Amino acid sequence: MKTIALANQKGGVAKSTTAANLGIGLARHGKKVLLIDADPQANLTQMLGWQQPDDLPITLSTQMEQIIMDEPFSPTAGILSHSEGVHLLPANIELASVEVTLVNTMSRETILRQYLSSLRNQYDYALIDCSPSLGMITINALTAANSVVIPVQAHYLPAKGLEQLLRTIAKVKKQLNPQLNLDGILLTMVDGRTNFAKEIGTLLRSTYGAKVLRTEIPQSVRLAETSVEGKSIYAYEPHGKAAGAYESLTKEVLSLDEREPKKHRSDLTR
Ligand code: ATP
Ligand code: MG
């Protein structure tokens, strides 16, 4: 199982949208995919059609609490099945209190990793949708992951926030998770009509080189609309440019894994 964390402490950069559409994209290529909502805002859970996350009896926080208390747990409990072929471990607001509990927990950075290792034979991919923070749940996600994808909104110069995130990733890699790789920075909400969007793309590519994924996700009203429809862009507007872009992101992610066989991944440096 390859675990990918979608992380950026900046809000609204399309982490959740990318988790949903990359996850469903991978499932469309025959992969077994588990999506994990690791944000107490529960946007991913809602986007996939579970509109009342606070009513869900078992979520990521339930599972993490069991591990924190060292109680037996059933790893598949609470996992929901979406009609487009992915599974989802949902979240709700209770995850915010787990974040607080973690501060005084033994092995506090590895709780999510412990949970996921119990599922590693059941899925090809686990995608973790992080919240817009660098708090303990995000550190848990980075500690559990093999790779990070950083969505970056092409509207702003991401400079400082991105450097801070890259430093955090490097620190987690050094201290907690030597397997961690940066799979790439993903430009999202690219408005192809503006020079500004192009300049940000050029600047990121000249600064971070091959770490910037080839695929760019265009600005798309249709994509924004999917978030209330409970479905992916492939189901909502299959022949549009946004569906095409997420399909090419899916292929790019698949090709990264073909190029870097699993057993060698840990040898690669960032
Ligand atoms: P948060 O940090 O709050 O978790 P996020 O990084 O997960 O946010 P999303 O929720 O995926 O970001 O996206 C933010 C908003 O932008 C949503 O309303 C979403 O529908 C919209 N959006 C995402 N991608 C695009 C796009 N390519 N074009 C236009 N709107 C988009
Ligand atoms: Mg989100």
Side-chain angles (χ1 to χ4, degrees):
M1 181 171 86
K2 179 179 182 185
T3 301
I4 304 175
L6 292 136
N8 191 336
Q9 77 277 29
K10 181 161 170 44
V13 296
K15 294 179 287 295
S16 303
T17 305
T18 300
N21 290 290
L22 173 59
I24 291 174
L26 290 165
R28 286 159 53 89
H29 281 262
K31 302 297 179 189
K32 287 191 225 150
V33 179
L34 175 65
L35 301 175
I36 293 148
D37 192 341
D39 181 353
Q41 294 181 99
N43 289 341
L44 179 62
T45 301
Q46 289 171 317
M47 262 179 203
L48 291 173
W50 287 273
Q51 298 289 350
Q52 307 292 337
D54 293 342
D55 295 345
L56 294 168
I58 302 177
T59 61
L60 175 61
S61 55
T62 327
Q63 297 287 17
M64 289 184 76
E65 273 162 1
Q66 301 287 85
I67 295 171
I68 290 169
M69 295 184 303
D70 207 13
E71 283 174 4
F73 66 102
S74 158
T76 53
I79 293 180
L80 303 167
S81 185
H82 186 268
S83 60
E84 291 180 66
V86 291
H87 286 174
L88 168 72
L89 182 63
N92 62 27
I93 193 67
E94 287 169 24
L95 195 58
S97 50
V98 174
E99 177 110 46
V100 178
T101 311
L102 278 172
V103 175
N104 291 312
T105 298
M106 204 190 286
S107 310
R108 57 187 182 170
E109 295 93 354
T110 62
I111 305 297
L112 184 53
R113 176 156 80 192
Q114 291 178 57
Y115 171 71
L116 279 176
S117 69
S118 66
L119 288 169
R120 67 172 172 259
N121 295 326
Q122 300 189 41
Y123 293 98
D124 300 311
Y125 284 90
L127 268 54
I128 309 174
D129 180 29
C130 295
S131 72
S133 96
L134 290 175
M136 280 310 302
I137 305 274
T138 299
I139 300 297
N140 264 264
L142 295 175
T143 304
N146 311 101
S147 99
V148 195
V149 168
I150 306 175
V152 166
Q153 197 182 359
H155 298 184
Y156 303 99
L157 282 175
K160 266 195 184 155
L162 189 56
E163 282 304 319
Q164 188 190 11
L165 177 57
L166 293 172
R167 274 198 305 276
T168 303
I169 292 168
K171 208 164 153 187
V172 170
K173 182 180 169 84
K174 194 168 163 205
Q175 299 184 5
L176 295 159
N177 181 12
Q179 289 190 34
L180 188 62
N181 269 299
L182 176 62
D183 261 358
I185 296 167
L186 172 68
L187 271 160
T188 64
M189 304 183 206
V190 178
D191 183 349
R193 294 165 307 182
T194 67
N195 283 330
F196 190 52
K198 282 179 208 142
E199 279 165 24
I200 289 180
T202 310
L203 181 76
L204 278 175
R205 285 180 200 285
S206 68
T207 312
Y208 299 106
K211 286 296 170 197
V212 183
L213 293 164
R214 273 196 319 277
T215 307
E216 297 185 0
I217 308 297
Q219 180 84 37
S220 154
V221 177
R222 307 294 278 166
L223 200 52
E225 287 167 1
T226 60
S227 62
V228 292
E229 294 289 330
K231 49 175 108 158
S232 75
I233 192 66
Y234 316 106
Y236 190 66
E237 196 197 25
H239 304 297
K241 62 181 182 178
Y246 272 108
E247 168 63 11
S248 85
L249 175 66
T250 302
K251 288 186 178 146
E252 192 171 354
V253 167
L254 285 167
S255 76
L256 286 174
D257 298 332
E258 281 152 23
R259 224 175 46 209
E260 301 166 6
K262 274 188 196 107
K263 60 178 187 234
H264 294 136
R265 291 187 66 83
S266 56
D267 303 338
L268 299 167
T269 50
R270 239 179 17 99

